[in-house]
Structures are given as C-alpha cells and as structure tokens.
C-alpha cells in the first residue's frame, strides 16, 4: 500500500551500554525495528525495540540464536560485545573466557544470522573489532588475540559472501570514550556519537573493512616497527 513505512530489522548484540547503546538509539531514531541482546536489561523503552537478556558465553545463547523469529529476516546484525582484562600471570583462568566472549560469541552469532541472509540473498553483518588486532600486547594478550582472530575471520567471511549478496564489515576502532577504554594514554580518543557516525557510514557503504580514526594507523605502524626493532 502506497506510503506504508517499511521498517528495516536490526539485531544488536552487546547494546546495554557504550557504543552499542548509542547505536541502538540512532537506529531507532532512523526508523529501524531493533532487537537488542546483553546480560543486563536495556534502559531503552520504545515500541520498535525488544530486548533479550543473554550471555553470549553461556550455552543458552545457542538456544536464543536458534529462534527463527529472532534471526530469520534481519537486514542488519551488529556484534558489539567485547570484554578485556589486564593479564594476571598468577591467575589466568579468565583468559579463555575473553576469547570465547569476544571471538567465539561473534562466530556463533554469524553462524545463526548469515545462513538466512544467504537464503534471502541480502543482509549485512557488522563486527566491531579494534586496532588492537594487529598489535602484540603483554598487558592484554587475550583481548588483542581475540580481535586479531575476529578481524581475520570477518575478512574471510566477507570474501566468501561477496558473490551471495550478503555484506560483512569489520570495523576497527581506536579508542572510544566508554568504560572499556581503560588505557592510561588514549591518543585521538573519539566520542561514542562519533563512533556511531562511523557505523552509519558502514551501514550505508558496506565496506569489507573500515578503520577509524585513520590518523592512528601510522602510529600503529610505527609501534609495530619499534616492537620488531626491540625483538
Ligand atoms: N571503547 C574503546 O576504546 C574501544 C576501542 C576499540 C574497539 N572497541 C570495541 O567496541 C565494542 C563495544 O565496546 P564498548 O566500548 O561500547 O564497551 P562497553 O561499554 O563495555 O559495552 C560492551 C557491551 O557488551 C555487553 N556484553 C559484555 N559481555 C557480554 C556477554 N558475555 N554477553 C552479552 N553481552 C555482553 C555489555 O552489556 P552487559 O554487561 O549488560 O552484558 C555492553 O552492552 C567492543 O567489542 C570493544 O572491543 C572499543
């Protein structure tokens, strides 16, 4: 019927706070229907919004992802979930959890939402990675390793899906002003709203890989060069 508003459907995982929460508000303001998932309830009350409480690291998450009503006709899915901790060499039992939540959780989500997109020949999967993906870290090796695997996996998936009409974008952020940015020095840190501006560009242009802020890239290259020099 002429004039009927077609609401696109998005699922955002890890959206009760930080970049995910700001992106949820932006998509709702843009007329999207949004389903959100995180361990805590969402502060959002909107008729176009539904929230499900779940931990991507728990077995129940697979049951949630198996719900056709949740994963079947998505136009967009964004994986924001990310945790990190400073390495404690006397107590390392959290290391595997960080890889499980940041990387395997994303792969579980992709495995649930991408096949229906392939069947429909359309859809967009965005994963929020980090510039940490190309740096070795003595402070947070599990976080850096999870993002290295994250970026590599999405890069390969994007190549595999290109001929099928489904887009995959790996977003590599520098510091963003949320509770997660714990480093002492945070060069060129951006606001959460600026990070969401970049995400909106990705939703529109659907690049395979997107890095922001670009100004940090030479810094990362210099740091890698210095690390190689110091052996
Ligand atoms: N902030 C930065 O400087 C920065 C830089 C580069 C990349 N990133 C990446 O950007 C993404 C978003 O980070 P952020 O800065 O917005 O962090 P944040 O404010 O800590 O938000 C993380 C979100 O993930 C959810 N979450 C965490 N563990 C979860 C789990 N096991 N199951 C389900 N949901 C879970 C949290 O909600 P609950 O606690 O309610 O579950 C929260 O909504 C992360 O992947 C991060 O690695 C951040």
């Amino acid at each position: 019927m002429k004039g009927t508003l077609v609401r696109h459907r998005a699922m955002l995982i890890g959206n009760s706070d930080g970049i995910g929460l700001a992106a949820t508000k932006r998509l709702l303001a843009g007329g999207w229907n949004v389903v959100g998932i995180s361990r805590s309830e969402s502060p959002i009350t909107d008729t176009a919004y539904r929230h499900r409480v779940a931990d991507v690291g728990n077995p129940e998450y697979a049951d949630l992802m198996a719900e056709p009503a949740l994963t079947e006709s998505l136009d967009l899915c964004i994986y924001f979930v990310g945790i990190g901790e400073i390495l404690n060499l006397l107590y390392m039992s959290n290391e595997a959890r960080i890889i499980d939540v940041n990387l395997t959780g994303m792969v579980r989500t992709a495995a649930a939402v991408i096949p229906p997109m392939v069947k429909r020949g359309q859809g967009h999967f965005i994963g929020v990675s980090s510039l940490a993906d190309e740096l070795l870290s003595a402070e947070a090796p599990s976080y850096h390793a999870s993002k290295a695997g994250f970026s590599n996996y999405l890069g390969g998936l994007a190549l595999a899906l290109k001929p099928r009409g489904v887009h995959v974008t790996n977003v590599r952020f520098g510091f963003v002003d949320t509770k997660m940015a714990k480093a002492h020095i945070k060069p060129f840190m951006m606001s959460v709203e600026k990070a969401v501006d970049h995400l909106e560009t990705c939703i529109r242009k659907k690049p395979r890989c997107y890095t922001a802020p670009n100004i940090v890239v030479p810094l990362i290259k210099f740091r890698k060069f210095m690390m190689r020099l110091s052996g």
Side-chain angles (χ1 to χ4, degrees):
M1 206 159 47
K2 196 165 171 316
T4 315
L5 172 69
V6 178
R7 281 182 171 269
H8 294 300
R9 299 189 64 233
M11 183 164 75
L12 277 57
I13 303 104
N15 75 325
S16 62
D17 200 353
I19 309 168
L21 179 58
T24 305
K25 291 176 181 169
R26 188 80 66 90
L27 288 179
L28 288 168
W32 288 70
N33 275 338
V34 179
V35 176
I37 299 173
S38 63
R39 292 168 302 179
S40 45
E41 284 296 348
S42 170
I44 292 183
T45 51
D46 186 305
T47 51
Y49 183 74
R50 275 187 310 125
H51 195 77
R52 304 290 295 268
V53 169
D55 182 330
V56 298
N58 286 358
E60 297 77 45
Y61 186 64
D63 305 335
L64 185 64
M65 286 297 108
E67 291 181 19
L70 206 63
T71 57
E72 290 247 329
S73 52
L74 290 173
D75 301 293
L76 173 68
C77 178
I78 312 181
Y79 193 84
F80 291 95
V81 178
I83 57 173
E85 265 176 39
I86 301 300
L87 175 65
N88 177 343
L89 290 170
L90 299 175
Y91 179 76
M92 291 177 68
S93 52
N94 264 348
E95 291 293 284
R97 165 128 177 116
I98 291 163
I99 304 275
D100 195 45
V101 166
N102 294 2
L103 176 52
T104 318
M106 182 274 282
V107 176
R108 288 193 192 103
T109 307
V113 303
I114 287 179
M117 289 180 175
V118 170
K119 286 192 193 106
R120 292 169 58 225
Q122 62 180 58
H124 192 188
F125 186 88
I126 298 178
V128 180
S129 187
S130 165
L131 284 158
D133 67 357
E134 60 173 308
L135 284 173
L136 301 182
S137 168
E139 292 85 32
S142 52
Y143 180 80
H144 285 242
S146 72
K147 294 302 184 180
F150 192 108
S151 293
N152 187 288
Y153 183 77
L154 287 184
L157 208 53
L159 294 176
L161 285 163
K162 200 158 192 305
R164 312 299 290 267
V166 177
H167 299 272
V168 171
T169 301
N170 180 45
V171 180
R172 306 169 65 241
F173 278 142
F175 290 109
V176 183
D177 192 6
T178 73
K179 70 177 188 296
M180 172 170 259
K182 298 184 189 121
H184 304 304
I185 308 164
K186 303 167 209 171
F188 304 103
M189 183 161 72
M190 65 180 133
S191 68
V192 167
E193 288 310 318
K194 186 69 193 155
V196 177
D197 292 346
H198 287 297
L199 283 170
E200 282 202 308
T201 303
C202 292
I203 293 169
R204 225 179 21 258
K205 299 190 173 168
K206 302 180 175 57
R208 183 155 51 83
C209 187
Y210 185 96
T211 299
N214 265 324
I215 193 167
V216 178
V217 172
L219 277 181
I220 299 276
K221 301 243 172 295
F222 177 70
R223 190 156 158 206
K224 282 175 75 175
F225 172 70
M226 294 310 287
M227 283 174 111
R228 269 202 299 279
L229 272 191
S230 59

